[in-house]
Every structure is written in structure tokens, then in C-alpha cells.
């Protein structure tokens, strides 16, 4: 059987929600469409569709296989696109990134990439959670922290410094922490996006100093946390690009600079696969070079 042809016909049935409509769109007879889908199901050993006289719908197995089929078709389309269009790249890239990173860092970068490659469309989702790239159909994900486990290919884009600060008003009232351990006596504003939000990390001469902190405000939004700190509510630990402007204006004051932890790596992930389409390779190389040229700590937030 022609596996790619069967997959494309299967996708057409889903898009048209009918075998006859799919057949018309492909200039085939309905029996040929039904036969191709049945052969695909036999080849995979699962039932992909529930068929009734009025409609078709995906089974649970069909839903799982659909994302993988979309990935296969996208790779083939990218291969044809790169060979047929010469140096001009074309195609669609789906990517996901943390909310604030996506709001502050990516817009300018992707706009520059788009000007260089007008034939490329990008779908960007901003989510503060880890996604399964294959099951959810993403080409790329941006993540921070330790290098991800196997199953994905990780390219290091840059690093970000984790800084600590508080407002002059808060420090005047509560004192300036001189050592990370002093934070246990302060109101710490918690970013609950992190896996261990109440454990802040510092270091002294290369030795890690984890500190358990607590406070009366937590959020999954860094800008909200920063606003609370600027309103004299407590101490924050955020990435450099989230704090530099507040430090420059004096709205916040850096503290514990002598105990700044090791920089946190920022990764670009893509599913482990033998073939990475040219359009995806171009974006990966562009982001690496872009973040070499543009320091995170001076990007607008």
C-alpha cells in the first residue's frame, strides 16, 4: 500500500467529515476512499474511525495516531518545499513557549525571521506547562532549566541569570538580607510556574545554597509578581530580563548579588527524528544566532 497516500486520504475524510465529501475533494470514488482508510487501519492494527450513516469521528487510537501522521506529512511537505522552491523556504512551524518568554523575547525575533523568510508561517502558543511535542503536534518547544530527558533533541539557545530584588520601601521597613538564609524571615513572592517554587537557589564560591522561602502572595505570572514587589509587598527572584528595567529605574533594588546562582539554560526542543525539514533547521539556526546578538537582560518586558 502507498502509506503516505492513505494518510492523506484519511486526513481528507477528517477534514470533510464524510467519505463521499472527501472523495469529491480528491476526485476519487467513495469506495476507493473507504478502501484506503480500511487498508490503513489494517496496516496499523487499530481502528482509526467510528463510522455511522451520518458522520465519522476519531477513535481514541485515531486521535493518538493523528498527531504522528500530521508530523509525517509536515516533514514530507517540508522536503518537497525545500527542493522545489530553491533557496526560498516555505511551510508552517508550530511552536510553544513559556508565556513571558514568548511575550517579551520572541515577537521581535520571529518578526525578523519572518522578514527574511516571507514564505514561512509560524503558529506560536504561549503556555506555562510542559507539552508533549509529538502528541500535541508541535515542531519546537522552548524550555528553561536542566537539559531535558531523551525523546527530544535539545539545542541550547542562551542562558538567563536569576536575580533577587525588592523595593526600597520594603527594604527600609524590613531590612536588607545579607545572606540567602535571611530570606526565611522575609515575605517572598512566589512564582508557582516552577516545579519547586518555594525553594530558591543561590551559590557561594561554587557551592549551592538552596533556601526554603514562603510568603503571602504567589502567582504563575511574573509581571504580576514584579508589580507586587514594586508595591513594597516583598522579595522576588526572577530572570534578568524581567528585572533589569525595574533595577534601572530604581523601582526595585538588587540584593544578594554576591550569592547569585548559576545561570539557567534556555533550550529549543524538537522531537527526536531522522529528518528535520529545512524550514525548521533555518528557524533553529536563526534563534541561536539572534540570541547571541541580543542579550536577554536588555530585551523589553
Amino acid at each position: 500500500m502507498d502509506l503516505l497516500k492513505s494518510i492523506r486520504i484519511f486526513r481528507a475524510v477528517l477534514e470533510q467529515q464524510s467519505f463521499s465529501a472527501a472523495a469529491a475533494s480528491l476526485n476519487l470514488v467513495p469506495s476507493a476512499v473507504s478502501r484506503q482508510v480500511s487498508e490503513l487501519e489494517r496496516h496499523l492494527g487499530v481502528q482509526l474511525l467510528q463510522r455511522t450513516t451520518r458522520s465519522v469521528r476519531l477513535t481514541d487510537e485515531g486521535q493518538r495516531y493523528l498527531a504522528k501522521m500530521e508530523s509525517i506529512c509536515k516533514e514530507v511537505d517540508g522536503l518537497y518545499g525545500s527542493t522545489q522552491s530553491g533557496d526560498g523556504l516555505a511551510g508552517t512551524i508550530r511552536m510553544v513557549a513559556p508565556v513571558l518568554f514568548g511575550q517579551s523575547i520572541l515577537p521581535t525575533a520571529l518578526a525578523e525571521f519572518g522578514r527574511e523568510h516571507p514564505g514561512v508561517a509560524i503558529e506560536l502558543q504561549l503556555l506555562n506547562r510542559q507539552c508533549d511535542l509529538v502528541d500535541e503536534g508541535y515542531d519546537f518547544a522552548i524550555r528553561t532549566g536542566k537539559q531535558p530527558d531523551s525523546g527530544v533533541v535539545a539545542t541550547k539557545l542562551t542562558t538567563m541569570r536569576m536575580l533577587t530584588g525588592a523595593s526600597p520601601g520594603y527594604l527600609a521597613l524590613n531590612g536588607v538580607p545579607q545572606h540567602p538564609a535571611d530570606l526565611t524571615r522575609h515575605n517572598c513572592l512566589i512564582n508557582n510556574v516552577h516545579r519547586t517554587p518555594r525553594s530558591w537557589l543561590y551559590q557561594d564560591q561554587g557551592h549551592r545554597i538552596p533556601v526554603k522561602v514562603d510568603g503571602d502572595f504567589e502567582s504563575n505570572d511574573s509581571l504580576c509578581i514584579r508589580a507586587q514587589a514594586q508595591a513594597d509587598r516583598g522579595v522576588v527572584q526572577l530572570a534578568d530580563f524581567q528585572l533589569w528595567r525595574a533595577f534601572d529605574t530604581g523601582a526595585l533594588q538588587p540584593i544578594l548579588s554576591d550569592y547569585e546562582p548559576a545561570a539557567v539554560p534556555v533550550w529549543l526542543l524538537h522531537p527526536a527524528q531522522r529528518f528535520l525539514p529545512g524550514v525548521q533547521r533555518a528557524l533553529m539556526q536563526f534563534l541561536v544566532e539572534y540570541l547571541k546578538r541580543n542579550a536577554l537582560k536588555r530585551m523589553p518586558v
Side-chain angles (χ1 to χ4, degrees):
M1 65 175 289
D2 185 334
L3 181 60
L4 185 60
K5 178 181 177 181
S6 296
I7 289 174
R8 293 192 185 281
I9 289 175
F10 169 68
R11 291 171 67 202
V13 171
L14 288 178
E15 290 170 1
Q16 300 293 331
Q17 287 295 296
S18 138
F19 281 86
S20 58
S25 70
L26 297 170
N27 199 25
L28 297 171
V29 296
S31 60
V33 171
S34 179
R35 183 172 63 255
Q36 287 284 345
V37 173
S38 296
E39 288 181 2
L40 180 61
E41 290 177 320
R42 282 195 296 272
H43 178 77
L44 298 175
V46 297
Q47 183 178 356
L48 300 172
L49 297 173
Q50 290 281 4
R51 303 159 172 83
T52 70
T53 55
R54 294 186 178 181
S55 65
V56 294
R57 67 179 181 85
L58 280 171
T59 63
D60 291 342
E61 292 84 357
Q63 186 68 54
R64 285 193 291 271
Y65 272 94
L66 178 62
K68 298 177 182 179
M69 293 178 188
E70 294 284 1
S71 178
I72 292 170
C73 290
K74 189 177 294 184
E75 289 185 15
V76 173
D77 290 343
L79 178 61
Y80 281 124
S82 62
T83 57
Q84 293 174 358
S85 60
D87 292 334
L89 293 174
T92 300
I93 299 173
R94 297 190 71 237
M95 61 186 304
V96 61
V99 173
L100 190 57
F101 194 95
Q103 290 174 339
S104 57
I105 309 302
L106 290 181
T108 304
L110 295 180
E112 184 175 322
F113 180 81
R115 288 191 294 269
E116 294 180 8
H117 304 289
V120 179
I122 294 179
E123 299 176 10
L124 173 64
Q125 296 292 324
L126 303 182
L127 300 170
N128 284 332
R129 64 173 176 84
Q130 290 196 8
C131 299
D132 187 305
L133 274 68
V134 174
D135 286 350
E136 298 184 50
Y138 291 112
D139 302 307
F140 290 116
I142 291 178
R143 288 184 194 161
T144 61
K146 68 177 183 178
Q147 186 168 0
D149 297 331
S150 60
V152 295
V153 178
T155 300
K156 189 176 179 179
L157 291 178
T158 186
T159 59
M160 59 186 190
R161 296 166 59 198
M162 297 302 294
L163 307 179
T164 307
S167 69
Y170 175 87
L171 295 174
L173 186 63
N174 297 278
V176 179
Q178 300 300 315
H179 186 275
D182 295 342
L183 292 175
T184 59
R185 298 189 294 273
H186 283 265
N187 192 48
C188 295
L189 308 173
I190 307 299
N191 186 349
N192 59 24
V193 166
H194 303 304
R195 292 182 179 177
T196 54
R198 286 175 170 77
S199 180
W200 290 6
L201 185 62
Y202 295 89
Q203 67 176 358
D204 184 14
Q205 299 180 351
H207 298 289
R208 289 162 49 96
I209 307 175
V211 179
K212 291 190 178 296
V213 300
D214 206 354
D216 62 8
F217 183 84
E218 66 177 88
S219 174
N220 66 346
D221 185 272
S222 299
L223 296 184
C224 187
I225 294 168
R226 187 181 66 189
Q228 289 288 314
Q230 292 176 182
D232 303 335
R233 295 285 296 116
V235 179
V236 292
Q237 186 186 66
L238 294 171
D240 49 3
F241 71 91
Q242 299 166 342
L243 289 177
W244 74 264
R245 183 166 291 176
F247 287 167
D248 278 2
T249 62
L252 295 177
Q253 177 179 323
I255 59 175
L256 299 174
S257 300
D258 291 341
Y259 300 94
E260 182 181 319
V264 176
V266 179
W267 304 96
L268 181 68
L269 312 182
H270 66 81
Q273 54 194 26
R274 294 180 180 176
F275 172 71
L276 191 65
V279 65
Q280 295 178 24
R281 287 197 305 273
L283 178 61
M284 180 172 63
Q285 293 164 1
F286 172 85
L287 288 175
V288 170
E289 292 301 318
Y290 179 88
L291 289 169
K292 284 182 181 177
R293 292 185 279 112
N294 298 274
L296 280 186
K297 67 178 182 179
R298 290 295 165 185
M299 291 191 177
V301 179

